[in-house]
Amino acid sequence: MNFTDSCIIVLLLVIFNCIVYMIFKRYLYMKPDAGMKFLTVNIAKDIVWLVISLMIIDKTKENFLFIVICFVVASLFIYTAIIKQINKS
């Protein structure tokens, strides 16, 4: 995989996660069913990110593994942050 492609994929994931977190904090936090609404927004974000990532990279096992690892790590970070916010309320 090209290093530039990897950086673009990771950067997109970070940007998209920041946008989803800001949407959660601004519009969904402290509202009824905030967790379910967050999941809806996050799943849509994940689908968009996956489509863009698949258009950027070559379709090989190594690249697919890279995408899966990025997805799991990013999901862990955003879900942890959101769950902490929801538990505070």
Side-chain angles (χ1 to χ4, degrees), residues 50-65:
L50 181 62
V51 168
I52 293 171
S53 297
L54 289 175
M55 288 189 313
I56 292 173
I57 65 166
D58 300 326
K59 279 70 174 178
T60 63
K61 283 185 182 180
E62 294 83 16
N63 293 344
F64 182 72
L65 182 61

Side-chain angles (χ1 to χ4, degrees), residues 1 5-13 49 53 56-57 66:
M1 174 188 289
D5 293 344
S6 324
C7 289
I8 291 171
I9 289 171
V10 171
L11 184 64
L12 281 174
L13 192 57
W49 173 79
S53 297
I56 292 173
I57 65 166
F66 175 74

Side-chain angles (χ1 to χ4, degrees), residues 33-47:
D33 295 328
M36 294 303 291
K37 291 175 185 173
F38 162 74
L39 286 175
T40 304
V41 172
N42 196 45
I43 289 172
K45 180 260 316 175
D46 289 337
I47 292 171

Side-chain angles (χ1 to χ4, degrees), residues 15-49:
I15 291 170
F16 286 167
N17 275 348
C18 288
I19 291 170
V20 168
Y21 186 75
M22 286 188 285
I23 289 171
F24 174 78
K25 288 291 283 184
R26 183 171 291 162
Y27 300 110
L28 302 176
Y29 186 57
M30 302 295 280
K31 302 272 171 55
D33 295 328
M36 294 303 291
K37 291 175 185 173
F38 162 74
L39 286 175
T40 304
V41 172
N42 196 45
I43 289 172
K45 180 260 316 175
D46 289 337
I47 292 171
V48 169
W49 173 79

